Amino acid sequence: MKSWPVQYAKARFSEMLEACLNEGPQLITKRGAGAAVLVPLKDWQMLKRAAKPALKELLLADVARGELNVPERGDKRGRGPPDLVRR
């Protein structure tokens, strides 16, 4: 992967874009450290599809998918004995 300092990336964006389309992802650095990557659209779409878990994986996962707010129980523990009706 070719590395481009941010000032060169800004000045030569068209060249960097062509390199991305022909050679693959291009690394943009800021003060010598990696800051961003320019990737072709088809690679980005593939990465996005791969990042989404399938429904089956979500349902079988051990981690919680959200908070379940259960209200506190009151003093009454039930309805009590049913009323007997005489006929």
Side-chain angles (χ1 to χ4, degrees):
M1 180 178 343
K2 187 174 178 182
S3 177
W4 299 73
V6 71
Q7 61 270 26
Y8 291 139
K10 286 168 48 176
R12 299 166 53 190
F13 182 77
S14 295
E15 184 181 337
M16 185 178 67
L17 179 60
E18 282 302 316
C20 174
L21 296 174
N22 295 327
E23 301 168 19
Q26 304 292 305
L27 175 66
I28 302 167
T29 61
K30 187 173 186 177
R31 295 187 182 112
V37 177
L38 181 66
V39 296
L41 181 60
K42 62 180 173 62
D43 293 352
W44 174 251
Q45 290 170 337
M46 183 180 65
L47 288 170
K48 279 181 55 176
R49 278 193 304 273
K52 291 182 183 176
L55 178 60
K56 180 179 177 182
E57 293 168 353
L58 284 174
L59 294 174
L60 293 176
D62 289 335
V63 295
R65 293 180 294 279
E67 284 290 318
L68 180 61
N69 297 322
V70 179
E72 292 290 324
R73 291 184 70 170
D75 292 338
K76 297 182 180 179
R77 296 285 180 192
R79 294 184 191 171
D83 293 334
L84 298 176
V85 178
R86 292 187 185 188
R87 289 188 183 194

mmCIF file of all heavy atoms in Angstrom, residues 70-74:
data_model
loop_
_atom_site.group_PDB
_atom_site.id
_atom_site.type_symbol
_atom_site.label_atom_id
_atom_site.label_comp_id
_atom_site.label_asym_id
_atom_site.label_seq_id
_atom_site.Cartn_x
_atom_site.Cartn_y
_atom_site.Cartn_z
ATOM 1 N N VAL A 70 -37.421 -4.105 33.035
ATOM 2 C CA VAL A 70 -38.480 -4.849 33.706
ATOM 3 C C VAL A 70 -38.943 -4.026 34.893
ATOM 4 O O VAL A 70 -38.144 -3.690 35.769
ATOM 5 C CB VAL A 70 -37.973 -6.237 34.168
ATOM 6 C CG1 VAL A 70 -39.065 -7.003 34.878
ATOM 7 C CG2 VAL A 70 -37.433 -7.017 32.984
ATOM 8 N N PRO A 71 -40.253 -3.694 34.959
ATOM 9 C CA PRO A 71 -40.721 -2.887 36.083
ATOM 10 C C PRO A 71 -40.642 -3.663 37.393
ATOM 11 O O PRO A 71 -40.736 -4.896 37.414
ATOM 12 C CB PRO A 71 -42.176 -2.565 35.718
ATOM 13 C CG PRO A 71 -42.558 -3.557 34.691
ATOM 14 C CD PRO A 71 -41.296 -4.009 34.022
ATOM 15 N N GLU A 72 -40.485 -2.929 38.482
ATOM 16 C CA GLU A 72 -40.441 -3.546 39.803
ATOM 17 C C GLU A 72 -41.788 -4.169 40.122
ATOM 18 O O GLU A 72 -42.831 -3.641 39.750
ATOM 19 C CB GLU A 72 -40.101 -2.491 40.860
ATOM 20 C CG GLU A 72 -38.692 -1.956 40.757
ATOM 21 C CD GLU A 72 -37.659 -2.984 41.153
ATOM 22 O OE1 GLU A 72 -37.918 -3.776 42.073
ATOM 23 O OE2 GLU A 72 -36.588 -2.996 40.517
ATOM 24 N N ARG A 73 -41.760 -5.292 40.859
ATOM 25 C CA ARG A 73 -43.002 -5.932 41.274
ATOM 26 C C ARG A 73 -43.575 -5.186 42.469
ATOM 27 O O ARG A 73 -42.844 -4.706 43.322
ATOM 28 C CB ARG A 73 -42.747 -7.383 41.660
ATOM 29 C CG ARG A 73 -42.383 -8.231 40.449
ATOM 30 C CD ARG A 73 -42.226 -9.645 40.834
ATOM 31 N NE ARG A 73 -43.548 -10.198 41.179
ATOM 32 C CZ ARG A 73 -43.781 -11.474 41.377
ATOM 33 N NH1 ARG A 73 -42.803 -12.328 41.311
ATOM 34 N NH2 ARG A 73 -44.979 -11.902 41.674
ATOM 35 N N GLY A 74 -44.890 -5.152 42.533
ATOM 36 C CA GLY A 74 -45.564 -4.515 43.659
ATOM 37 C C GLY A 74 -45.623 -5.446 44.855
ATOM 38 O O GLY A 74 -45.015 -6.518 44.880
#
